[in-house]
Amino acid sequence: MTAGTIERTLEALRSKIEHADQEQARREGLELINDLLRQLRQDGGEAWIGTTEAKRLLGVASENTVKAWATLGVLQSKQVGTRIKVSLSGVLSEAQRRAHPELGHDLDPMEIAEV
């Protein structure tokens, strides 16, 4: 599941709740939430994004850098058809490491609040 899929599903949920009567909104909202949870569980709870989105989040100049990092194992990845998808959590962790190389590890929530 990609971040875009999650975003579109949540947007649909918001729209249904805004434009429906209470009972209908509750029923359709729960249906969408259950669908989203089902999709997340199918991917082991991991969100996957494309190399273009990963490039933007990482602040690198080229999608080829993202692909190389995926090939080298720097980023967890999977092949979906002819495309490479990378783990969103892995991309966010790597972006964090790049932003704070002096720390040499992932920041915990308390450290993030201090930065």
Side-chain angles (χ1 to χ4, degrees):
M1 167 178 289
T2 66
T5 301
I6 294 169
E7 183 178 358
R8 284 189 299 277
T9 303
L10 291 173
E11 289 291 338
L13 175 60
R14 180 175 40 191
S15 177
K16 287 207 182 276
I17 290 171
E18 289 174 347
H19 298 100
D21 67 54
Q22 286 185 344
E23 181 57 31
Q24 180 185 358
R26 187 184 76 72
R27 187 176 51 254
E28 290 178 355
L30 287 172
E31 200 174 291
L32 282 169
I33 289 169
N34 288 333
D35 184 49
L36 184 58
L37 289 170
R38 195 171 23 261
Q39 289 177 36
L40 281 171
R41 289 180 184 129
Q42 286 174 352
D43 284 338
E46 182 62 66
W48 298 89
I49 61 173
T51 54
T52 301
E53 181 69 8
K55 174 186 87 165
R56 186 184 67 75
L57 291 171
L58 291 164
V60 296
S62 170
E63 291 174 23
N64 288 331
T65 301
V66 176
K67 292 175 185 177
W69 288 356
T71 300
L72 293 169
V74 173
L75 297 173
Q76 181 185 3
S77 64
K78 68 179 183 178
Q79 191 83 23
V80 178
T82 60
R83 300 188 179 269
I84 295 175
K85 299 288 184 177
V86 292
S87 157
L88 176 59
S89 63
V91 167
L92 295 175
S93 292
E94 184 60 29
Q96 186 178 70
R97 279 191 288 279
R98 289 173 52 81
H100 301 284
E102 69 280 5
L103 298 175
H105 61 83
D106 288 341
L107 297 173
D108 65 39
M110 294 302 290
E111 290 173 315
I112 292 171
E114 294 173 7
V115 174

